[in-house]
Amino acid sequence: MTAENGTERKPGANAAGLTKNDYRGAPSTLCAGCGHNSISNQIIQAAYELDIVPEDVLKFSGIGCSSKSPAYFLNRSFGFNSLHGRMPSLATGAAFGDKHLKPVAVSGDGDTASIGMGQFKHVIRRNLDMLYIIENNGVYGLTKGQFSATAEEGLQLKYHGENPYEAIDICVEALAANATFVARSFAGDAKQVRELIKAGMTHKGLAVLDIISPCVTFNNADDAHHSYGYGKENETPIHDLTFIPFREEIRIDDHEEGEYREVELHDGSVILLKKLERDYDPTDRMAALQVLEQAAVDKVMITGLIYFETGRKSLTEIYNLTDTPLNRLTEKELRPSRESLAEVNTMMF
Amino acid sequence: MTAENGTERKPGANAAGLTKNDYRGAPSTLCAGCGHNSISNQIIQAAYELDIVPEDVLKFSGIGCSSKSPAYFLNRSFGFNSLHGRMPSLATGAAFGDKHLKPVAVSGDGDTASIGMGQFKHVIRRNLDMLYIIENNGVYGLTKGQFSATAEEGLQLKYHGENPYEAIDICVEALAANATFVARSFAGDAKQVRELIKAGMTHKGLAVLDIISPCVTFNNADDAHHSYGYGKENETPIHDLTFIPFREEIRIDDHEEGEYREVELHDGSVILLKKLERDYDPTDRMAALQVLEQAAVDKVMITGLIYFETGRKSLTEIYNLTDTPLNRLTEKELRPSRESLAEVNTMMF
Amino acid sequence: MITIETTEKQEKSSASAPIVNDFSIVVGTKNGSGSQTSNLTIIRALFKMGIPVSGKNVFPSNIQGLPTWYTIRVNHEGYTARREAKEIVIAMNPDSFGADLAEVDPGGLFIYPDHLRYHIDRDDIQILAFPAKDLVRDAEVPSGLRDYVMNMAYVGVLAERIGLDLDAVHAALDFHFGGKQKPVDLNYKVIRMSAEWAAEQDLEPAPFRVEPLDLTEGYILSDGNTAAALGAVYGGVQLVTWYPITPASSLGEALDAYLPKLRVDPETGKNTFAVIQAEDELAAIGMAVGGGWAGLRAMTSTSGPGISLMTEYAGLAYYSETPIVVWDVQRMGPSTGLPTRTSQGDISQVFFLGHGDTQNILLLPGSLQECFEFGWRAFDLAETLQMPVYVLSDLDLGMNTWMTRPFEYPDEAMRRGKVLWEEDLEKLTERWGRYKDVDGDGIPYRTIPGNKHPAAAWFGRGTGHDEYARYTEAPDDWDRNMNRLLRKYETARGLTPEPEIDRVEGAGIGIVAFGSTGPAVDEARDRLEKSGTPTSYMRLRSLPFNTMEREFILSHERIYVIEMNHTGQMHQIMTVEFPDLAWKLVSLTHNNGLPLTARWIVESIEGKEGE
Amino acid sequence: MITIETTEKQEKSSASAPIVNDFSIVVGTKNGSGSQTSNLTIIRALFKMGIPVSGKNVFPSNIQGLPTWYTIRVNHEGYTARREAKEIVIAMNPDSFGADLAEVDPGGLFIYPDHLRYHIDRDDIQILAFPAKDLVRDAEVPSGLRDYVMNMAYVGVLAERIGLDLDAVHAALDFHFGGKQKPVDLNYKVIRMSAEWAAEQDLEPAPFRVEPLDLTEGYILSDGNTAAALGAVYGGVQLVTWYPITPASSLGEALDAYLPKLRVDPETGKNTFAVIQAEDELAAIGMAVGGGWAGLRAMTSTSGPGISLMTEYAGLAYYSETPIVVWDVQRMGPSTGLPTRTSQGDISQVFFLGHGDTQNILLLPGSLQECFEFGWRAFDLAETLQMPVYVLSDLDLGMNTWMTRPFEYPDEAMRRGKVLWEEDLEKLTERWGRYKDVDGDGIPYRTIPGNKHPAAAWFGRGTGHDEYARYTEAPDDWDRNMNRLLRKYETARGLTPEPEIDRVEGAGIGIVAFGSTGPAVDEARDRLEKSGTPTSYMRLRSLPFNTMEREFILSHERIYVIEMNHTGQMHQIMTVEFPDLAWKLVSLTHNNGLPLTARWIVESIEGKEGE
Ligand SMILES: Cc1ncc(C[n+]2csc(CCOP(=O)(O)OP(=O)(O)O)c2C)c(N)n1
Ligand SMILES: Cc1ncc(C[n+]2csc(CCOP(=O)(O)OP(=O)(O)O)c2C)c(N)n1
Ligand code: SF4
Ligand code: SF4
Ligand SMILES: [Mg+2]
Ligand SMILES: [Mg+2]
């Protein structure tokens, strides 16, 4: 096996010449069994399988157990563990530094749906080219088990009685704000998580990936909607999903007419959707709203690629930036000439 | 005519014994022709027609031209002109002072959909018993004409070029957050505005009323989606709407089978919906999402009662408060006994 | 200096008589491993034996797996401050084993479970490995609970070693499990068997022992957040709006726990309060301001990051003259900082909180009793002054376990301030104005929503307003109103809690401190006294200052202002308030996340005095 | 005192010779009525005539209909500060007619349109009613534009009365309408006809006249927000993130206007910048911090309420050592306050902005040239020091029209600070650490996202970190890092702009001021000098202080600290920084929304001196 540049690949190296190790982070300090840890692992796996160079990725997070996790993957990527609920703005600004980098953000349900609702909505509206993962456990892990805004009505928690409010549905919110990529998954479904991460990292625009990620310490009773038990019992994928990077050939082995649906990304990559119960078209907004609405009524945890749209400009595209990353420009490009100032001065009265 | 208590009514007095004058506010300092002024007038008219005692109403607002308007109606109601984007929290706290009062809030599109998105979502989630009016002009009036988050993509404004972002749809957002009452109107449609205000003030729970209210100074070009011209051209009511307070008899003069739909409020009041193009059922969430989605695609300004739901507890109901307003409780009710503290102390180790 | 050294480090050969009732025990564990119950059991047992005790938890900002140290100080003189010395170390955490071992004082005692197989290279201390796993297994603990209950084994071993009374231990467990027989029995069994195991080992006597005393009679054990919550309950709090944040969460949670027990109307079963978990701190304070405006006793509790987010509403509360109470249980900043470490770093920020000209009122509780007292008094002040009142506690005070006298029932009737209801307005002869200074004290009269008098309503705002709450931009109106606010602030000076002053005859040095550093100052002063440096002491209890502070400064040659932050914030504020005396004020700061020690104070002062 | 009185109030009988080039014109109109163009035309025409002039708009916080006053000061000595005296009043607003009339100085001139039919009860001034409607109609103005163009009529009448050169007026219009013939002609026609009408009326000579001078040669007219924006453009700003707020909006808008003209790559047509209108100030500063971290010159501009909302991110920027520039164009607080009135009320807040221990860097521009200079220099400082830099302007400086020398091209190359790119890392012999103090100045080296070196990446955070940016809670790590930050702050002292000092031989009094009050201080000092009280002057240009400030205080007997807020915030900070000299500092504050006058300063100082 040889790497792209023709040199000999290390054993276990991918097309970028990197091994799994090059994608790891510091050891996790989260609880053993925490859903967030399995998601970190899938991020590592997805990046490795996508042959991404870690230096081309930016990591962002807010505050929470979930938001700690970017320290536990992609050590060779720059990252910022920002403020509670305010990650999207920092990520937005940072994305302008070098438009060729790919931001990947990890947030929690508290971080996004409670304190962070405003910035969540607005980063979607701007269609920042970023994968935005919400590790959704219906609870505040890091502050020890209070209700978050995605906790289901009636949920009982040890020290906080019963939740009297209706839950916020992160995918519905993402759709309402016109997100160009909306997906839900379950941390217990490693393969789907991984494929959706790959798709989301490849998507050009804001990809919302809401992953039900159980908090084993504070919200893992079998009847709690964000628990492993509940997920195992109730997860209902709307399709079986495989991401195929654009360089690879699509090979569907036992291909049956009408059994698959393909969604093509901006770069030619494809998400291959194997139909399950019914044929679901993720490019149909109304269908997306409907499937979420119905799932809420039926109390099932639907997972999969709920909505996808291509063609809308991402934020940095709108801004028509120089090809050279802005942060590599020097005084020469950044300070207009002395003459121009003289002109400006004469243009004043 | 006699008032409820049997005394002689003043000329022009309503059942509360009050004249229109008792509902007025200070003279408006908004621009002549501003949509917000006509909404203020309809609030005055609605309160008068509903026989509301102004002292039973609380007024709230954020910051903006729209948010100034509570000073221009119901002078005899307590009110608070709070902070930009943060009115819902103040209103929420205040509502606990005396649960028998009815809060009416006025906000702007900037105040609600830009800076205020987070609090907007969460006050809906809590189902505070309040009429929440958004005077939506797609622009920041008070700071002189910048784009707000509801401005349509491609809108051109004098000093700010072209808006590159998709608009936030306040009604879609309200539905996503499970609002129990969602309506849209147009300041140029005085009657509909008034009837919806009456319905919203009567509804027990959070009523979102998104009123397209043109800013004649900064965003009133005929092709701008929040202008008078555009509204006159494109307003498409989904029904013809009349609010009937619960004491009044419903009298439909030329009643035709199936021509009307009735929606009953918690107190027996009724919203009478006359069918127009088609039969629209405002209690069907999917239909509501569909009609909004379709309107966005077709670029029509649909107006009317988009969604309505009864039976969910309002915030103060959830909290099981004393019948006496909390703010009338005295030391006797508020300070537990000396003995109880002794007991608490012994319960410590 | 000798005094200090011997008190700090008790160099003992194991042959000599044991030291009694004066040492510290440190338990090194992993966060989330369930050792908290064991540690509390030790503390409570000691307390039950009548021995003054305090407990401080130094824990990480995660839920499970990172090192945590719990320090228990036993002291017959009643000192409760943190010490650096570690006479007994119990090492349960393999990750910190080496460091824990290294930190035992010479002559100390080191206890660890024998499944941790590390090399022990010290011979200047007593070493004891105990068979934790065997003990738990032998006690027939169900396997799912073994890891957790293993922590009880060290309680038993320690009990035997230092002479902890097993009946007292049993009482502690009984309390902890609310009398539930099963867990009490299970845990006690492990403790008893572990103690028995230790007794059977024919060990040399431990260098430290406890003996029963009668010094905890009339005290209880609690923490500052519980005290604050109870104070608020008895202060008639009606609206609690909060957002979780360490180390303030347990304050909101205590309110959530106690209010339903103490403040439900017995006849109707209805609540006289509401507790709302807000979506963030912007909303939490917004709700509180709404409640305060609507006549409720409203409060919120938070820590530094939350205070930052509250800034804009804090300014609105100040300027619209809305009473609210804000608890800031301080943690280490700047920024997210060290969420689980203590500090006194928010003083300047809160004092100036709000853009434009603001000056705020700060209460500075220095004990659990004061947490309770300020819990209710803050409302009286807020409503009297129609201002936000900030109470600055900290992690050490708020979350750690302290001995305290029982909480004292408020000795005054509630002061609800100048409120006019329907009948009051009816009686007025002059036109009422929301912002009129009728009494010359800068405090106006207010009406409250729900007041049905047709002249009662007014429109609150953060914009310029005249005496009748009408919008105005007129320069004179603005000036007049601001001057009234300054007048009101002067009125506040006479109303906030005065400092507690201990003036010592002949002392040239005055110490100024506040908040959780009090116990360390007390201990330091005793030592300084013994080494021939008597000091006076002014423990600040609020800002702004009144007259006593000035007098105290005037009557001493040098004033040491001690605080746990880096920039000397209280020293700065004192400098601003007493510019003419500024030259007397010396700033002593220390701030690394751990509570101050008496030793640091003594050395700092002696260092400065020696200069 | 006589000097003051005559300068302030020029008691003139209309018989005597007119006063030339030294008076104020006040135009009272309704907000939104379109008078701004007229007023600017008058100012520009005066300026074109070579006469020093300044314009101040006192406007309400609404869009249309409330009273607005525009004051134009003409002064041959070049004084530009606000004055209280009103020699000429043009009353266009029926709502303020009575008040406007009452305020004309005795001997003054009162001009109003004759369709305002109010009773005129003064005989100590010249009165002139002009037929505004007729003039506009006669000029054949299309009816839709009449109300707006009516404001040109007063320009014409005034021009005739005081001798304003019509060619200069024409040039002003030409500039305003960017040479567009139609509006220039239309407006000029009204002006000319109005001037002609006035000339035909056989009026007695006006008591005030202008005469051409040559004192504006080498000056331009602009405003501080434009100057700041241009400074930033020439400072290479790359990311502007802002949220609209008076009086800062026009700064963001000027950037939005100038950047596309000056900062598009000529070859590719691509942008070297981005301007984002954020959803609020929390997001605006968050984006700026992201940009600064990613190596961009990032800035945001706001006013008090926005600063409050930025507090949490400000702390993160400080502690993570991220360079950003924040402009605070101050308005009157606390709270929403008076959004359209000026103040210097955010000094303390911004100085301490952030919970926990923070100390910030403030630049204090005192002129348009400094707005421009600090516009670029702020980036050099922020990147050099890896800190947020706050520039505190105010409404008066930012939005009003000022004469200034042309903006000066930066006289230094950009300083991008200690940044390591791939090749720099390659060359390093030691391991790089993001927070290592290699040079002893407290300033570490940083790498920037996009750096492809495998050792370049680091994980930013607001939590405790060691020299390698790794998470740590260790007390020593925390302490070490905080001490380095304090060291860095000391380094800052040598780098921020030094005060401008005018030391006058024999002056016992030193005046300290900063920002927009400079012109009033200049004028006041001249008057004090004339009345026998020479003063020295230190105009502060930044915080923290360095050595010059101390020396200045030391070398004077008394220091008057002049500022536009209520609590004397700069005085407080000086007290904190120079506690040993605090007794010398006297605070003089005034803050009612209007810019300071020389008169107030003179009277305040003379009052204190007389005490
Ligand atoms: C401004 C602010 N408020 C509160 C906190 C305390 N806090 C830390 S994490 C957290 C909640 C995290 O919940 P979530 O985002 O769901 O993450 P999880 O821990 O469940 O993964 C809170 C409230 C904070 N750090 N900052
Ligand atoms: C924290 C804060 N930021 C900015 C402002 C300035 N501001 C005042 S009103 C306004 C926008 C108002 O827009 P909208 O809510 O749409 O009301 P409109 O004037 O259009 O009715 C802004 C940005 C402010 N008052 N407070
Ligand atoms: S507390 Fe919950 S969310 Fe946090 S690390 Fe543990 S399991 Fe995960
Ligand atoms: S600026 Fe626009 S929104 Fe504001 S008052 Fe005028 S018309 Fe209304
Ligand atoms: Mg969570
Ligand atoms: Mg608007």
Side-chain angles (χ1 to χ4, degrees), chain C residues 60-61 304 308 311 333-337 341 345-346 349 355-357 462-464 473 478-479 566-567 569, chain D residues 60-61 304 308 311 333-337 341 345-346 349 355-357 462-464 473 478-479 566-567 569:
Chain C
S61 176
S308 282
T311 311
S335 198
T336 310
R341 299 300 156 86
D346 296 346
Q349 174 175 43
H355 60 268
D357 287 285
T463 40
E473 295 173 346
W478 181 270
D479 230 15
H566 272 89
T567 45
Q569 304 180 5
Chain D
S61 176
S308 282
T311 311
S335 198
T336 310
R341 299 299 157 86
D346 296 346
Q349 174 175 43
H355 59 268
D357 286 287
T463 40
E473 294 172 347
W478 180 271
D479 229 16
H566 272 89
T567 46
Q569 304 180 7

Coordinates of all heavy atoms in Angstrom, one line a residue, chain C residues 60-61 304 308 311 333-337 341 345-346 349 355-357 462-464 473 478-479 566-567 569, chain D residues 60-61 304 308 311 333-337 341 345-346 349 355-357 462-464 473 478-479 566-567 569:
Chain C
P60 N -12.1 17.5 41.8 CA -11.9 18.0 40.4 C -13.2 18.4 39.7 O -14.2 18.0 40.2 CB -11.3 16.8 39.8 CG -12.0 15.6 40.4 CD -12.2 16.1 41.8
S61 N -13.0 19.0 38.6 CA -14.2 19.4 37.9 C -14.5 18.3 36.9 O -14.4 18.4 35.7 CB -13.9 20.7 37.1 OG -15.0 21.0 36.3
G304 N -19.2 33.0 39.5 CA -18.6 34.0 38.6 C -19.1 34.1 37.1 O -19.6 35.1 36.7
S308 N -21.2 37.2 35.5 CA -20.9 37.9 34.2 C -22.1 38.1 33.3 O -22.3 39.1 32.8 CB -19.7 37.2 33.5 OG -18.5 37.5 34.1
T311 N -24.8 40.7 34.2 CA -24.4 42.1 34.3 C -25.5 43.1 33.8 O -25.8 44.1 34.5 CB -23.1 42.4 33.5 OG1 -22.1 41.4 33.9 CG2 -22.5 43.8 33.8
G333 N -11.6 32.2 39.3 CA -11.6 32.8 38.0 C -10.2 33.4 37.8 O -9.4 33.3 38.6
P334 N -10.0 34.0 36.6 CA -10.9 34.5 35.6 C -11.5 33.3 34.8 O -10.9 32.2 34.8 CB -10.1 35.4 34.7 CG -8.7 35.4 35.3 CD -8.6 34.4 36.3
S335 N -12.5 33.7 34.0 CA -13.1 32.8 33.1 C -13.6 31.5 33.8 O -13.9 31.5 34.9 CB -12.2 32.5 31.9 OG -13.0 32.0 30.8
T336 N -13.7 30.4 33.0 CA -14.3 29.2 33.6 C -13.4 28.8 34.7 O -13.8 28.2 35.7 CB -14.4 28.1 32.5 OG1 -15.1 28.7 31.4 CG2 -15.1 26.9 33.0
G337 N -12.1 29.1 34.6 CA -11.2 28.9 35.7 C -11.1 27.5 36.3 O -11.0 26.6 35.6
R341 N -12.8 25.0 42.8 CA -11.8 25.6 43.7 C -12.3 26.9 44.2 O -12.9 27.7 43.5 CB -10.4 25.7 43.1 CG -9.8 24.3 42.7 CD -9.7 23.3 43.9 NE -9.7 21.9 43.5 CZ -8.6 21.3 43.1 NH1 -7.5 21.9 43.1 NH2 -8.7 20.0 42.7
G345 N -12.6 36.2 44.4 CA -12.1 37.0 43.2 C -13.2 37.8 42.5 O -12.9 38.5 41.5
D346 N -14.4 37.8 43.0 CA -15.5 38.6 42.3 C -15.8 39.9 43.0 O -16.8 40.5 42.6 CB -16.7 37.7 42.2 CG -16.5 36.5 41.4 OD1 -15.5 36.3 40.7 OD2 -17.4 35.6 41.4
Q349 N -15.6 43.1 40.7 CA -16.6 43.0 39.6 C -18.0 43.2 40.1 O -18.8 44.0 39.6 CB -16.6 41.6 38.9 CG -17.8 41.5 37.9 CD -17.8 40.3 37.1 OE1 -17.5 39.2 37.6 NE2 -18.0 40.5 35.8
H355 N -22.9 48.5 33.6 CA -22.3 49.6 32.9 C -22.8 51.0 33.4 O -23.9 51.0 34.0 CB -22.4 49.4 31.4 CG -23.9 49.4 30.9 ND1 -24.6 48.3 30.8 CD2 -24.7 50.4 30.6 CE1 -25.8 48.6 30.4 NE2 -25.9 49.9 30.3
G356 N -22.2 52.0 33.0 CA -22.6 53.3 33.5 C -22.2 53.3 35.0 O -21.4 52.5 35.4
D357 N -22.7 54.3 35.7 CA -22.3 54.4 37.1 C -23.1 53.5 38.0 O -24.3 53.8 38.2 CB -22.5 55.8 37.6 CG -21.5 56.8 37.1 OD1 -20.4 56.8 37.5 OD2 -21.9 57.6 36.2
G462 N -35.5 50.9 32.1 CA -34.1 51.2 32.3 C -33.6 52.5 31.7 O -32.4 52.9 31.8
T463 N -34.5 53.2 31.0 CA -34.2 54.4 30.4 C -34.4 55.6 31.4 O -35.0 55.4 32.4 CB -35.0 54.6 29.1 OG1 -36.4 54.2 29.4 CG2 -34.5 53.9 28.0
G464 N -34.0 56.8 31.0 CA -34.2 57.9 31.9 C -35.6 58.2 32.3 O -36.5 58.0 31.4
E473 N -35.4 62.7 28.8 CA -34.0 62.8 28.5 C -33.4 64.1 29.0 O -32.3 64.5 28.7 CB -33.8 62.8 26.9 CG -34.3 61.4 26.3 CD -34.3 61.5 24.8 OE1 -34.2 62.5 24.2 OE2 -34.4 60.4 24.2
W478 N -32.1 63.8 34.6 CA -31.2 62.7 34.8 C -30.3 63.0 36.0 O -30.1 62.1 36.9 CB -30.3 62.6 33.5 CG -29.3 61.5 33.7 CD1 -28.0 61.6 34.2 CD2 -29.5 60.1 33.4 NE1 -27.5 60.4 34.2 CE2 -28.3 59.4 33.7 CE3 -30.6 59.4 32.9 CZ2 -28.2 58.1 33.6 CZ3 -30.4 58.0 32.7 CH2 -29.3 57.4 33.0
D479 N -29.8 64.2 36.1 CA -28.9 64.5 37.2 C -29.6 64.4 38.5 O -29.0 63.8 39.5 CB -28.5 66.0 37.0 CG -27.0 66.2 37.1 OD1 -26.3 65.2 37.0 OD2 -26.6 67.3 37.2
H566 N -6.0 37.6 43.4 CA -4.6 38.0 43.0 C -4.4 39.5 43.1 O -3.3 40.0 43.3 CB -4.3 37.5 41.6 CG -3.7 36.1 41.6 ND1 -4.5 35.0 41.6 CD2 -2.4 35.7 41.7 CE1 -3.7 33.9 41.6 NE2 -2.5 34.3 41.7
T567 N -5.4 40.3 42.8 CA -5.2 41.7 42.7 C -5.5 42.5 43.9 O -5.3 43.8 43.9 CB -6.1 42.3 41.5 OG1 -7.4 41.7 41.6 CG2 -5.5 41.8 40.2
Q569 N -8.5 42.9 45.7 CA -9.6 43.7 45.4 C -10.2 44.5 46.5 O -10.6 45.6 46.4 CB -10.7 42.7 44.8 CG -10.1 42.0 43.6 CD -11.1 41.0 42.9 OE1 -12.3 41.0 43.3 NE2 -10.6 40.3 42.0
Chain D
P60 N -32.9 62.8 20.4 CA -33.7 61.9 21.3 C -33.5 60.5 20.8 O -33.1 60.2 19.7 CB -35.1 62.4 21.1 CG -35.2 62.8 19.7 CD -33.8 63.4 19.3
S61 N -33.9 59.6 21.7 CA -33.8 58.2 21.4 C -35.2 57.8 20.7 O -35.9 57.0 21.3 CB -33.6 57.3 22.6 OG -33.6 56.0 22.3
G304 N -22.4 50.6 26.3 CA -22.5 50.0 27.6 C -23.3 48.7 27.7 O -22.8 47.7 28.2
S308 N -21.8 45.0 28.8 CA -22.3 44.2 29.9 C -22.5 42.8 29.4 O -22.1 41.8 30.1 CB -23.6 44.7 30.4 OG -23.4 45.8 31.3
T311 N -19.3 40.5 29.0 CA -18.5 40.3 30.1 C -17.9 38.9 30.2 O -16.7 38.7 30.4 CB -19.2 40.5 31.4 OG1 -19.9 41.8 31.3 CG2 -18.3 40.6 32.6
G333 N -25.3 55.7 31.1 CA -25.9 54.7 31.9 C -26.0 55.1 33.3 O -25.7 56.3 33.5
P334 N -26.5 54.3 34.2 CA -26.6 52.9 34.1 C -27.8 52.5 33.3 O -28.7 53.3 32.9 CB -26.9 52.5 35.6 CG -26.9 53.7 36.4 CD -26.9 54.9 35.5
S335 N -27.8 51.2 33.0 CA -28.9 50.5 32.3 C -29.1 51.1 30.9 O -28.1 51.7 30.3 CB -30.2 50.4 33.1 OG -31.0 49.4 32.5
T336 N -30.2 51.0 30.3 CA -30.5 51.5 29.0 C -30.2 53.0 29.0 O -29.8 53.6 28.0 CB -31.9 51.1 28.5 OG1 -32.1 49.7 28.7 CG2 -32.1 51.5 27.0
G337 N -30.5 53.6 30.1 CA -30.1 55.0 30.3 C -30.6 56.0 29.3 O -31.7 56.0 28.9
R341 N -27.2 60.1 24.6 CA -26.5 61.1 25.3 C -25.1 60.6 25.7 O -25.0 59.4 26.0 CB -27.3 61.6 26.5 CG -28.6 62.2 26.1 CD -28.5 63.4 25.2 NE -29.7 63.7 24.4 CZ -30.7 64.4 24.9 NH1 -30.7 65.0 26.1 NH2 -31.7 64.6 24.1
G345 N -19.0 56.8 31.5 CA -19.4 56.1 32.7 C -19.0 54.6 32.7 O -19.4 53.9 33.6
D346 N -18.3 54.1 31.7 CA -18.0 52.7 31.7 C -16.5 52.4 32.1 O -16.1 51.2 31.9 CB -18.2 52.1 30.2 CG -19.6 52.2 29.8 OD1 -20.5 52.4 30.7 OD2 -19.9 52.0 28.6
Q349 N -16.1 49.7 34.9 CA -16.6 48.4 34.5 C -15.6 47.8 33.5 O -15.3 46.6 33.7 CB -18.0 48.6 33.8 CG -18.4 47.2 33.3 CD -19.7 47.1 32.7 OE1 -20.1 48.0 32.0 NE2 -20.4 46.0 33.0
H355 N -15.3 38.2 35.5 CA -15.3 37.8 36.9 C -13.9 37.2 37.3 O -13.1 37.0 36.4 CB -16.4 36.8 37.2 CG -16.2 35.6 36.3 ND1 -16.9 35.5 35.1 CD2 -15.6 34.4 36.4 CE1 -16.5 34.3 34.5 NE2 -15.8 33.7 35.3
G356 N -13.7 37.0 38.5 CA -12.4 36.6 38.9 C -11.4 37.8 38.8 O -11.9 38.9 38.6
D357 N -10.2 37.5 38.9 CA -9.2 38.6 38.8 C -8.9 39.0 37.3 O -8.3 38.3 36.6 CB -7.9 38.2 39.4 CG -7.9 38.2 40.9 OD1 -7.9 39.2 41.5 OD2 -7.9 37.1 41.4
G462 N -10.9 28.2 28.8 CA -11.0 29.2 29.9 C -10.8 28.5 31.2 O -10.8 29.2 32.3
T463 N -10.5 27.2 31.2 CA -10.2 26.5 32.5 C -8.7 26.6 32.8 O -7.9 27.0 31.9 CB -10.7 25.1 32.4 OG1 -10.4 24.6 31.1 CG2 -12.2 25.0 32.6
G464 N -8.3 26.1 34.0 CA -6.9 26.1 34.4 C -6.1 25.4 33.4 O -6.5 24.3 32.9
E473 N -5.6 21.5 37.5 CA -6.2 22.1 38.7 C -5.1 22.3 39.8 O -5.5 22.7 40.8 CB -7.3 21.2 39.2 CG -8.5 21.1 38.2 CD -9.5 20.1 38.6 OE1 -9.2 19.3 39.5 OE2 -10.6 20.1 38.0
W478 N -1.8 27.0 38.8 CA -2.7 28.1 38.7 C -2.0 29.4 39.1 O -2.0 30.4 38.4 CB -3.9 27.9 39.6 CG -4.8 29.1 39.5 CD1 -4.8 30.2 40.3 CD2 -5.9 29.3 38.6 NE1 -5.8 31.1 39.9 CE2 -6.4 30.6 38.8 CE3 -6.4 28.5 37.5 CZ2 -7.5 31.1 38.1 CZ3 -7.4 29.1 36.8 CH2 -8.0 30.3 37.1
D479 N -1.3 29.3 40.2 CA -0.6 30.4 40.8 C 0.5 30.9 39.8 O 0.6 32.1 39.5 CB 0.1 30.0 42.0 CG -0.2 30.9 43.2 OD1 -1.1 31.7 43.0 OD2 0.6 30.9 44.2
H566 N -20.7 59.9 37.3 CA -21.2 60.4 38.6 C -20.2 60.0 39.8 O -20.1 60.7 40.8 CB -22.6 59.9 38.9 CG -23.6 60.8 38.4 ND1 -24.2 60.8 37.2 CD2 -24.2 61.9 39.0 CE1 -25.0 61.7 37.0 NE2 -25.1 62.4 38.1
T567 N -19.6 58.9 39.6 CA -18.9 58.3 40.8 C -17.4 58.6 40.7 O -16.6 58.3 41.6 CB -19.1 56.8 40.8 OG1 -18.9 56.2 39.5 CG2 -20.4 56.5 41.3
Q569 N -14.9 57.8 38.3 CA -14.3 56.4 38.1 C -12.8 56.5 37.9 O -12.0 55.7 38.4 CB -15.0 55.7 37.0 CG -16.5 55.6 37.2 CD -17.3 55.0 36.1 OE1 -16.7 54.4 35.2 NE2 -18.6 55.0 36.2

